[in-house]
Amino acid sequence: MCSSPSPDIFIPPQWSQAANSIVSSSTPPITLICGAKNCGKSTFARYLLNILLTRCNRAAFLDTDVGQPEFTPPGFVSLTVVQKITPDLTIPCLKTPERSLFFGDVSSKRDPSAYLNYIHSIYDYYQREYRTFDKGEKCYKIQMPLVVNTPGWVKGVGYDVLVDMLKYICPTHIVKIGISTEDQNLPAGKFWLDGEHDRSIKLLEIYSARQDSLNRPMLVQKDARLMRDLRIMAYFRQCFPRGSDISTIKKLAHSLTFQCPYQVPIASIKIRNGHREVPRSEIFYSLNASIVGLAVESEGAENLPWCLGLGIVRGIDTVKGMLYVITPLPFGSLKKVNLLLQGYIQTPSCLLQVQGCISPYMSTNVLTTS
Ligand SMILES: Nc1ncnc2c1ncn2[C@@H]1O[C@H](COP(=O)(O)OP(=O)(O)OP(=O)(O)O)[C@@H](O)[C@H]1O
C-alpha cells in the first residue's frame, strides 16, 4: 500500500513526525486537528488518515467543518468509515458517511449550541459503535482510530465552540497547526484545560506547510463560496451514471433541469426548518427550488434525525399533494425518508440558469396552488 502524498503536496518533517507519533500510539488514537482558517487542517487530516490506513484496515473520520466538509456537501456533520487510501491529497472526494446530521448552515455562528449538540450526538454514536470494548462477550468490537477535523473559526465564539468540542471529545492527540500571523493562531499549550494538567493527552504543535518567499508558514486563501458550490454540484452530479457526458457546469445544469424527479406525497413527510420559524402559509414558497436534507426521524425527542442525503425541490403541486425532488439517493433510501430539513444551503446560482429555460425552478408553473 502506498501512502506517499500527491506531488503538489509538501509534507515537512514536522508533519510526518506528528503523524508517526500518532499511529504508533498504544491505543487506537482519537486525534483532533485544529488551527486557523486555511492552515492545512484538511490536508493534514487526509495525510494522517492515509498513514493510519497503512496500519489498520479502517479508520473513522468525524467532520465538524460544516462549511467545507471532507466527504459530504456543505451543511453536514458526519462520521465516515474510511477503508481506502486517498491517492490525491489536494482535493476532497465525496463518500457516503456511516452517519450524518444535516445542520443546514455553513457555519456554527447562527446557532452554536445546536451545532455542539449535533457534534456530541455523532461523537456519542462513534463511542457506542467503535469504542465499546467488552471482553465478557464472545464477540467484541474492535476499537477504531478516529480523526476529527474542525472548522477554522477559532476566535470569539468559534474559540468557545472549539474548547467545548475538545472537552467533550477528550482526544488522545491534538494536532494544532500554526501560521506566521501569530494573532490568528490558537493560544499556545493545552489552552482548553482550565488550569488542570492532563499528561495523557498528547499535544502536537506543528506549522502550516505552505510557506512564503522567506520560508515562513503562511495562510492560503481559498474561495470558500466557490468551493461550496463545486461540492454541491459534484454531489448532484451523482444523479447521473458514471461516464455520462456531463463535463461542464452548463451540461450539469441542463441535465438536472431535465432529470425526472421523484414524486414525494406531501402527506407522507414532515417539513422542518432547523433554524427559523416559517409561517405555514409560506412553507411551500420557501421550499421551492431549495436544497433540503432528506432525513429519517427517529423515535425519542432527544434523538436527532439522521440525514441520508440532499435533494433539490424541483416543484410542488399542492393540488395533487406532491413534492418533486431531484436527488442522487437511490429509491430504496428515499423510501425511508420521512422528514425534509430546510436550512441555509443555497442552490448554486449557475444551476438556476439554464439555456433554453427561464429560471427552471422559479417559473410560475412549478408551484401549482389551484
Ligand atoms: N502540505 C501542503 N502542501 C501543499 N499545499 C497545501 C498543504 N497544506 C495545505 N495546502 C493547501 O492550502 C490550502 C488550504 O489547505 P486546507 O484546505 O487543508 O486548509 P484548512 O485548514 O482545512 O482550511 P479550512 O479552515 O478552510 O477548513 C489548500 O489549497 C491546500 O491544498
Side-chain angles (χ1 to χ4, degrees), residues 260-272 283-290 292-294 311-327 334 337-342 366-368:
C260 183
Y262 285 113
Q263 294 190 67
V264 181
I266 294 172
S268 70
I269 45 151
K270 287 185 190 163
I271 298 163
R272 189 180 300 154
I283 285 178
F284 292 130
Y285 291 101
S286 73
L287 205 58
N288 192 41
S290 71
V292 287
L294 303 169
I312 298 175
V313 178
R314 177 74 179 83
I316 304 166
D317 188 332
T318 49
V319 176
K320 285 192 188 153
M322 285 293 173
L323 281 172
Y324 298 94
V325 178
I326 304 171
T327 175
L334 195 65
V337 170
N338 56 11
L339 179 65
L340 291 196
L341 293 170
Q342 283 183 284
V366 290
L367 186 62
T368 317

Side-chain angles (χ1 to χ4, degrees), residues 246-360:
I246 304 178
S247 48
T248 62
I249 293 174
K250 256 188 184 173
K251 282 185 181 170
L252 176 64
H254 188 268
S255 304
L256 281 174
T257 309
F258 289 94
Q259 170 80 341
C260 183
Y262 285 113
Q263 294 190 67
V264 181
I266 294 172
S268 70
I269 45 151
K270 287 185 190 163
I271 298 163
R272 189 180 300 154
N273 193 309
H275 299 277
R276 62 198 149 162
E277 280 288 314
V278 180
R280 272 182 86 85
S281 57
E282 303 299 315
I283 285 178
F284 292 130
Y285 291 101
S286 73
L287 205 58
N288 192 41
S290 71
I291 288 187
V292 287
L294 303 169
V296 183
E297 194 166 46
S298 35
E299 283 178 17
E302 73 288 356
N303 291 331
L304 292 166
W306 295 121
C307 189
L308 304 184
L310 290 182
I312 298 175
V313 178
R314 177 74 179 83
I316 304 166
D317 188 332
T318 49
V319 176
K320 285 192 188 153
M322 285 293 173
L323 281 172
Y324 298 94
V325 178
I326 304 171
T327 175
L329 277 188
F331 184 57
S333 304
L334 195 65
K335 273 202 298 199
K336 297 182 202 146
V337 170
N338 56 11
L339 179 65
L340 291 196
L341 293 170
Q342 283 183 284
Y344 291 103
I345 305 302
Q346 285 174 6
T347 313
S349 53
C350 45
L351 292 187
L352 298 173
Q353 294 148 6
V354 179
Q355 216 174 16
C357 314
I358 309 155
S359 301

Side-chain angles (χ1 to χ4, degrees), residues 8-12 15 36-44 46 65 68 90 149-152 209-210 220 222:
D8 296 346
I9 295 293
F10 165 60
I11 303 295
W15 280 37
K37 244 183 204 326
N38 294 336
C39 65
K41 296 179 294 299
S42 310
T43 309
F44 184 83
R46 279 172 223 151
D65 187 356
Q68 282 169 54
T90 52
N149 194 21
T150 60
R210 296 291 298 254
V220 187
K222 285 185 293 191

Side-chain angles (χ1 to χ4, degrees), residues 35-87:
K37 244 183 204 326
N38 294 336
C39 65
K41 296 179 294 299
S42 310
T43 309
F44 184 83
R46 279 172 223 151
Y47 170 65
L48 177 61
L49 267 181
N50 280 0
I51 301 280
L52 282 166
L53 288 172
T54 60
R55 304 276 178 106
C56 48
N57 300 334
R58 301 183 304 165
F61 188 83
L62 198 170
D63 207 332
T64 67
D65 187 356
V66 285
Q68 282 169 54
E70 188 62 22
F71 299 126
T72 67
F76 283 94
V77 172
S78 64
L79 183 82
T80 306
V81 174
V82 185
Q83 298 181 328
K84 273 195 198 145
I85 282 178
T86 312

